[in-house]
Amino acid sequence: FQICLVNLVHHHAGRKTCVSPDTTFQALTKASPVVKNSITKNQWLLPPSREYATKTRIGIRRGKTSQELKEAALEPSLEKIFKIDQMGRWFIAGGAAVGLGALCYYGLGMSNEIGAIEKAIIWPQYVKDRIHTTYMYLAGSIGITALSALAVSRTPALMNFMMRGSWVTIGATFAAMIGAGMLVQSISYDQSPGRKHLAWLLHSGVMGAVVAPLTILGGPLLIRAAWYTAGVVGGLSTVAMCAPSEKFLNMGAPLGVGLGVVFVSSLGSMFLPPTTVAGATLYSVAIYGGLVLFSMFLLYDTQKVIKRAEVVPVYGVQKYDPINS
């Protein structure tokens, strides 16, 4: 403030000089008694310049303080946010390259172990029927979810509730998804087929209500996202079918850890704006890391379905459940 004010005085006086903070007070007191009285009265508000030098020396010697790190993390910076987003995109591109390489490696038979697609030739008919039925229920779930999302999007009361974003809505959504999933898993497919299918319809309907707010993005964007999803699912399912049948079954523990990281990042991104460095980092971990994580889950789950269809005995006490699968 002192330097700017003195420069302004010198500019109006027709002189362009460079002044230092030590000469500022002298120039101001000579310029005007009013300014002199004002600065003398409020001089205690202006900290000495040597304190800045002391803080600078301490900062260089001790590194950044926690307050400075916090300010840097919460500072809006378009350049840093762009770099973080680009890193996430490169991470996705690297994962896609690895997936394509795995598809070529296993698809061309370069692995020493036989994959599920080769084993399918010697599968008994009941294993083929189990896998076929499982994927039919999967396709049915996707269709019911889409119809449910369309119905909720055309119901203003439900749409307003799902888009509210309050803790009540979030809690109710989590409770409905987890509760419906536990319900459909707990009912026996053989002993209570009617109740099982009703619970399956309920669960798919709840999932449709959860994704219904995405309909506000518009039809073209949703159609493009659907094609991207179909490409990811088809490509990774092909990788899982070509790879040895137990190749990805050991990824359960790392995937659980990754799911925890993505979940915490998703919760953190709710409290930090994406225009800050910290918020953009958490958002990128949740979006790009979640995309890679659930792609790996797709590999794991595909081979888990195949393994379960192979090992569950036909006449055992525990029957194969295609809906649960």
Side-chain angles (χ1 to χ4, degrees):
F1 171 75
Q2 293 177 1
I3 295 173
C4 291
L5 189 57
V6 173
N7 281 333
L8 192 61
V9 171
H10 280 263
H11 177 72
H12 284 290
R15 292 177 295 168
K16 295 182 179 178
T17 58
C18 179
V19 294
S20 64
D22 295 332
T23 60
T24 301
F25 183 77
Q26 299 176 2
L28 284 173
T29 52
K30 291 179 182 179
S32 171
V34 177
V35 175
K36 176 181 178 181
N37 294 334
S38 175
I39 294 178
T40 304
K41 183 189 295 184
N42 300 313
Q43 190 174 5
W44 60 276
L45 293 173
L46 303 172
S49 60
R50 60 176 174 272
E51 287 190 8
Y52 293 109
T54 303
K55 289 182 179 179
T56 303
R57 288 196 298 272
I58 294 175
I60 295 174
R61 187 167 57 250
R62 296 182 181 178
K64 292 186 177 180
T65 63
S66 59
Q67 181 66 23
E68 290 172 336
L69 291 174
K70 182 179 179 181
E71 291 176 356
L74 299 178
E75 176 188 3
S77 175
L78 292 178
E79 182 179 358
K80 292 181 180 178
I81 292 173
F82 178 76
K83 289 181 179 180
I84 293 171
D85 186 74
Q86 286 296 108
M87 289 176 58
R89 292 174 181 270
W90 279 110
F91 185 60
I92 292 294
V98 172
L100 184 61
L103 178 60
C104 296
Y105 179 76
Y106 294 122
L108 295 176
M110 298 180 182
S111 177
N112 295 327
E113 305 175 56
I114 61 172
I117 198 167
E118 286 91 359
K119 290 178 66 176
I121 301 174
I122 60 174
W123 274 343
Q125 186 60 39
Y126 71 89
V127 175
K128 298 178 182 179
D129 293 339
R130 287 174 174 180
I131 296 176
H132 178 265
T133 306
T134 298
Y135 277 93
M136 289 299 293
Y137 276 113
L138 175 62
S141 299
I142 295 174
I144 296 169
T145 300
L147 292 176
S148 174
L150 182 62
V152 172
S153 66
R154 296 185 177 182
T155 307
L158 292 176
M159 195 67 171
N160 291 334
F161 178 77
M162 296 305 301
M163 294 183 62
R164 190 173 300 171
S166 64
W167 284 109
V168 176
T169 304
I170 296 173
T173 300
F174 271 93
M177 286 193 298
I178 296 174
M182 293 175 62
L183 178 64
V184 71
Q185 293 273 344
S186 64
I187 301 175
S188 174
Y189 180 78
D190 287 331
Q191 298 177 2
S192 303
R195 292 172 54 203
K196 182 77 173 183
H197 284 81
L198 287 176
W200 170 63
L201 293 172
L202 175 64
H203 180 260
S204 300
V206 169
M207 297 304 296
V210 172
V211 301
L214 293 177
T215 57
I216 64 174
L217 298 176
L221 188 59
L222 289 180
I223 292 175
R224 191 168 64 178
W227 278 113
Y228 286 167
T229 304
V232 170
V233 172
L236 291 174
S237 297
T238 306
V239 172
M241 289 293 293
C242 294
S245 58
E246 298 182 9
K247 188 69 176 180
F248 303 116
L249 289 180
N250 298 323
M251 298 193 307
L255 290 178
V257 175
L259 181 61
V261 173
V262 171
F263 181 71
V264 171
S265 301
S266 299
L267 290 181
S269 62
M270 294 169 56
F271 299 97
L272 294 174
T275 54
T276 62
V277 175
T281 302
L282 292 178
Y283 184 80
S284 295
V285 171
I287 294 299
Y288 298 117
L291 182 57
V292 172
L293 176 72
F294 286 104
S295 297
M296 296 175 68
F297 260 115
L298 187 60
L299 296 172
Y300 172 79
D301 289 333
T302 301
Q303 292 200 340
K304 192 174 181 181
V305 167
I306 296 172
K307 189 67 175 179
R308 188 178 298 171
E310 291 176 338
V311 301
V312 174
V314 180
Y315 302 106
V317 176
Q318 183 182 2
K319 303 295 183 180
Y320 181 80
D321 191 331
I323 292 182
N324 284 8
S325 296

